[in-house]
Amino acid sequence: MNITINGQAYSFESGMNALDMLGAVDAELKKKALAVKVGGQVRSLVAPVCDGEALTVLTFEDEEGRRVLRHTASHVLAQAVKRLFPEAKLAIGPAIEDGFYYDFDVEKPFTPEDLAKIEKEMQRIIKRNDRLVRSEKPRAEAIAFMREKGEPYKVELIEDLPEDAVISFYTQGDFTDLCAGPHLPSTGKIKAVKLLSAAGAYWRGSEKNKMLQRIYGTAYESKEALAEHIERMEEARRRDHNKLGRELELFTTVDVIGQGLPVLLPKGARIIQLLQRWVEDEEQKRGYLLTKTPLMAKRELYKISGHWDHYLDGMFILGDPHDETKECFALRPMTCPFQYQVYLNRMRSYRDLPMRLGETSTLFRNEDSGEMHGLIRVRQFTISEGHLILRPDQLEQEFAGCLSLAKYMLDTVGLGEDVSYRFSQWDPNNTAKYEGTAQQWDEAQALMAKILEDLHVPYTVGIDEAAFYGPKLDIQIKNVFGKEDTLITIQIDMLLAKKFGMEYVDADGQKKTPYIIHRTSLGCYERTLALLIEKYAGAFPAWLAPTQVKILTITERGDDWAREVESELLSRGMRVELDLRNEKIGFKIRQAQQEKVPYMLVIGDKEAQERTVAVRSRKEGDLGAMDLMDFAEKLEEEVRTKAR
């Protein structure tokens, strides 16, 4: 039979599988191969190959290949747990980004000692190099099989499958698991595995269900690659904003205040204040008009906008949402319906457009408790929100301006090289989630596609990721652990202006409906702060550092000069702390280093006598004695240019 492998045509005897074919043509590729892709579907290397098929070999360099290896590793984990803990009940075990997990119903939580034993058992299973063999069973037989094994979660999964579903199992040695696959041809293909942690997880993610024990792990194609991954994870833990932000006293959380409601401590609040002032000043330079609107509104406003129908579960409601006889309010999840009232304050002319409205908005979203994470995902947050009301002919230019502003902000704070772009579109198969007709959505998405092409924006497409009123460009970023979130959005809206009766008088004297761009310039300030903590490991650039300078005295003889230095720097708007404690200078320096202060000014007898300062830079080291004015000008230039 004629087969194409990675674009090269070959002839083979019928009945061969991909593994045998690779062995015949490329022994090295056979060693690296983990699976094959045929017509967009990933298959096991030992699955039958049909005449005329084109195979793409997947290795660990391919995302699909990594998922196959790690999915198989999750089965090895399940097999090891069942050997060591025979009473454990199996739930699910998928591959995830950078690893895998498996959920178990056990009497006691797994301990670190348990994980060490399980990992050793996994290594024994891998060394055996058992083949993975796929089989199928009819529904009734599959349910009976899993009931006999005492696996109630597997029985539930089978019962929830569609009537026409193919129910498949994979067997490796003495272990069989319900699974759709695909898998590696044998366990020996897993070259390096590591169990990372155990945590509680509700069955099917619902708090109404039983709490299970989830074991997380990762697997790699070599021990060297695994070691590199573990080192990256250690570095990520060192940079984790949830840990570092608390150690540096930037924020805290308090149980009696509530989950997802962080308290910004003075240093963290100062950084966000610096960001907000900078954003508002930059927006003003670019023609934005500042607004300040209420934090809540009656349900009637949200009914006009559509949030009541499409976003009610994500809102905090004050009153009974179902009792139409009484007033009911909701905290705002976004600012758009409020800012529209600014436009609607009087009739507008085409000459008034574009109208660019900006606001530092505090918003409230009722996120699930399981989604909360430090400052990354919270229930109350502040955002650089804005809405541009414009004529259709202004759409591309204004969209480009929004993107230019976002890029400038990201590049300045140092996150520009870390982002990616997603064109978020509606799902025509899920129309209940969206406002408008298919024709309106096709028109809006075609407009955005043209704009993104004209602006040479590289993007991926996210189906069913659009806002309910229009498509959007999402600027995506990952935290240190690889979890991706949206940082900035730019959205095209051709629907809500009409719902709110927003019009302008055009040059021909006719009333027309404007377009709207919803956008953020730096996104959520709390999330941005979290990302900056991780980006700089808490060592912020001088322009953003909550404390820019620490003045450290060696003896009390330098106190008077130190106070003069403090006064001069404060008068220049610098953020200064004075340390006059009767402590050894080495101790003071180490503490300032731990606080990641950009500059330390050490003052001893010589500096006090000569009215100089001994400068220690976090980046440049010991700069020696400097005239105070020279140092002040150096720092001012660093702040002015927002140097990193």
Side-chain angles (χ1 to χ4, degrees):
M1 58 182 176
N2 297 315
I3 301 296
T4 301
I5 301 177
N6 287 356
Q8 182 72 39
Y10 298 95
S11 293
F12 299 99
E13 295 179 6
S14 60
M16 294 181 71
N17 59 40
L19 193 63
D20 294 335
M21 292 176 183
L22 288 174
V25 300
D26 192 331
E28 249 344 277
L29 186 58
K30 179 183 178 182
K31 288 181 184 177
K32 295 169 61 178
L34 301 176
V36 290
K37 198 170 185 180
V38 185
Q41 289 192 334
V42 180
R43 288 190 201 164
S44 169
L45 289 168
V46 295
V49 177
C50 300
D51 185 41
E53 288 187 327
L55 312 182
T56 300
V57 179
L58 300 176
T59 68
F60 199 80
E61 295 176 2
D62 305 296
E63 182 180 350
E64 295 106 321
R66 292 192 293 272
R67 293 189 71 83
V68 169
L69 183 141
R70 288 165 175 163
H71 189 185
T72 304
S74 77
H75 278 230
V76 174
L77 167 59
Q79 183 178 10
V81 168
K82 289 293 286 186
R83 284 184 176 181
L84 297 174
F85 303 88
E87 300 305 313
K89 307 300 181 187
L90 303 178
I92 58 171
I96 56 176
E97 188 168 7
D98 286 337
F100 59 89
Y101 70 78
Y102 210 110
D103 290 345
F104 303 93
D105 186 352
V106 287
E107 286 188 6
K108 298 179 182 178
F110 292 111
T111 65
E113 293 74 21
D114 292 335
L115 295 189
K117 293 176 185 176
I118 295 167
E119 187 177 304
K120 283 186 179 179
E121 186 62 31
M122 290 179 70
Q123 289 164 348
R124 282 192 282 269
I125 294 168
I126 290 168
K127 191 173 181 180
R128 282 175 53 91
N129 196 26
D130 288 329
R131 288 185 61 203
L132 279 96
V133 179
R134 183 180 183 277
S135 60
E136 297 178 7
K137 296 182 186 294
R139 177 182 294 271
E141 187 179 331
I143 291 172
F145 177 72
M146 279 302 175
R147 277 187 178 147
E148 184 180 346
K149 284 184 166 290
E151 299 291 356
Y153 298 100
K154 299 295 182 180
V155 171
E156 182 177 328
L157 291 172
I158 296 170
E159 289 176 338
D160 287 348
L161 290 172
E163 287 296 327
D164 58 349
V166 174
I167 303 173
S168 58
F169 296 81
Y170 278 82
T171 299
Q172 57 202 52
D174 59 358
F175 177 74
T176 299
D177 200 357
L178 172 74
C179 188
H183 284 284
L184 300 174
S186 65
T187 59
K189 278 273 189 180
I190 305 167
K191 301 301 180 184
V193 68
K194 179 70 178 176
L195 296 186
L196 303 172
S197 63
Y202 291 108
W203 169 235
R204 293 190 156 181
S206 173
E207 296 178 7
K208 297 177 182 178
N209 293 332
K210 187 172 183 179
M211 174 72 78
L212 306 179
Q213 286 295 301
R214 176 173 295 177
I215 296 179
Y216 288 97
T218 191
Y220 274 80
E221 81 283 20
S222 69
K223 292 180 180 178
E224 294 76 16
L226 175 59
E228 289 175 8
H229 170 77
I230 292 172
E231 176 55 34
R232 286 195 302 272
M233 292 298 292
E234 288 299 321
E235 177 63 17
R237 279 189 278 272
R238 287 191 287 269
R239 289 175 176 264
D240 180 11
H241 85 276
N242 224 347
K243 172 177 177 289
L244 197 52
R246 298 170 196 271
E247 291 174 355
L248 294 173
E249 296 187 353
L250 299 174
F251 76 96
T252 188
T253 52
V254 183
D255 287 343
V256 294
I257 290 178
Q259 193 177 17
L261 299 169
V263 175
L264 290 172
L265 301 175
K267 291 180 180 180
R270 180 67 68 193
I271 295 172
I272 287 187
Q273 182 192 55
L274 291 165
L275 290 169
Q276 288 178 0
R277 287 174 172 174
W278 169 56
V279 168
E280 288 179 356
D281 289 347
E282 185 61 34
E283 288 182 344
Q284 182 175 328
K285 292 176 188 175
R286 300 187 186 218
Y288 281 81
L289 304 173
L290 185 65
T291 68
K292 188 172 179 62
T293 57
L295 300 181
M296 67 177 77
K298 296 194 295 185
R299 68 178 144 216
E300 284 71 21
L301 181 73
Y302 302 114
K303 284 188 174 183
I304 297 172
S305 66
H307 291 100
W308 202 256
D309 293 329
H310 296 280
Y311 209 79
L312 185 61
D313 290 343
M315 297 165 68
F316 287 102
I317 309 299
L318 307 176
D320 185 349
H322 307 296
D323 186 351
E324 298 287 343
T325 66
K326 296 179 181 177
E327 277 192 328
C328 180
F329 289 78
L331 298 177
R332 64 182 184 186
M334 55 275 294
T335 311
C336 46
F338 297 83
Q339 283 196 326
Y340 297 163
Q341 308 311 310
V342 176
Y343 181 88
L344 289 165
N345 188 51
R346 63 174 172 84
M347 192 63 202
R348 306 292 174 177
S349 162
Y350 71 96
R351 293 188 182 91
D352 297 325
L353 306 182
M355 177 182 280
R356 306 183 188 101
L357 302 175
E359 182 167 335
T360 302
S361 303
T362 299
L363 304 179
F364 306 86
R365 296 184 184 175
N366 191 10
E367 301 279 6
D368 291 337
S369 59
E371 294 294 320
M372 299 298 103
H373 176 59
L375 298 177
I376 293 281
R377 191 170 289 276
V378 291
R379 285 173 169 155
Q380 176 185 311
F381 56 94
T382 307
I383 193 168
S384 55
E385 194 165 14
H387 297 88
L388 292 79
I389 299 100
L390 45 100
R391 303 190 309 265
D393 62 285
Q394 297 170 324
L395 180 62
E396 182 161 351
Q397 181 179 347
E398 291 302 313
F399 192 100
C402 293
L403 182 57
S404 173
L405 174 61
K407 285 184 173 181
Y408 166 72
M409 295 288 175
L410 291 170
D411 289 342
T412 302
V413 299
L415 298 175
E417 63 266 33
D418 303 325
V419 301
S420 59
Y421 299 88
R422 183 181 72 193
F423 180 5
S424 294
Q425 303 179 4
W426 84 318
D427 182 356
N429 298 314
N430 187 21
T431 55
K433 180 179 174 181
Y434 300 97
E435 296 276 338
T437 65
Q439 181 179 349
Q440 288 171 319
W441 275 92
D442 289 344
E443 181 182 352
Q445 291 183 171
L447 274 171
M448 182 173 278
K450 180 183 183 303
I451 291 170
L452 296 178
E453 183 178 343
D454 291 345
L455 296 176
H456 307 291
V457 178
Y459 63 82
T460 58
V461 172
I463 300 298
D464 206 25
E465 296 288 350
F468 69 81
Y469 48 75
K472 57 193 173 103
L473 178 67
D474 288 323
I475 302 181
Q476 303 289 105
I477 194 165
K478 294 180 179 179
N479 67 13
V480 287
F481 295 107
K483 171 69 169 61
E484 184 175 270
D485 283 290
T486 300
L487 184 58
I488 293 172
T489 66
I490 307 172
Q491 308 170 11
I492 292 178
D493 176 5
M494 300 167 64
L495 299 175
L496 293 189
K498 188 169 185 179
K499 294 184 73 171
F500 277 89
M502 299 165 69
E503 296 178 329
Y504 65 93
V505 179
D506 207 352
D508 60 7
Q510 298 297 310
K511 289 184 179 180
K512 296 182 181 176
T513 302
Y515 286 176
I516 300 172
I517 294 176
H518 305 239
R519 48 99 272 179
T520 53
S521 51
L522 193 59
C524 168
Y525 286 107
E526 289 83 359
R527 183 172 292 177
T528 299
L529 175 57
L531 293 164
L532 292 176
I533 293 170
E534 296 181 349
K535 174 76 174 182
Y536 296 110
F540 298 100
W543 75 276
L544 271 179
T547 301
Q548 296 170 313
V549 182
K550 259 204 162 183
I551 304 168
L552 314 175
T553 55
I554 297 177
T555 70
E556 64 182 15
R557 292 186 296 275
D559 289 2
D560 290 343
W561 173 231
R563 290 189 180 96
E564 286 188 51
V565 171
E566 178 192 33
S567 179
E568 174 62 28
L569 297 181
L570 287 172
S571 72
R572 290 170 176 256
M574 296 175 184
R575 299 182 291 282
V576 185
E577 287 185 15
L578 184 60
D579 188 347
L580 302 179
R581 293 176 300 166
N582 185 24
E583 298 281 0
K584 291 182 179 180
I585 191 63
F587 174 80
K588 291 183 179 183
I589 289 172
R590 284 194 299 275
Q591 190 172 64
Q593 288 172 332
Q594 289 171 352
E595 293 171 3
K596 303 182 186 290
V597 178
Y599 288 100
M600 289 170 273
L601 304 184
V602 179
I603 294 177
D605 291 346
K606 185 172 183 291
E607 289 78 21
Q609 184 178 354
E610 297 178 355
R611 297 179 69 79
T612 60
V613 289
V615 182
R616 295 176 66 92
S617 166
R618 190 182 63 206
K619 290 195 302 183
E620 303 167 84
D622 189 352
L623 300 181
M626 291 179 67
D627 179 81
L628 177 58
M629 295 304 107
D630 290 342
F631 168 74
E633 289 173 5
K634 169 183 170 61
L635 179 54
E636 284 174 338
E637 178 64 11
E638 197 171 326
V639 171
R640 185 189 67 80
T641 59
K642 294 183 171 54
R644 289 188 274 122

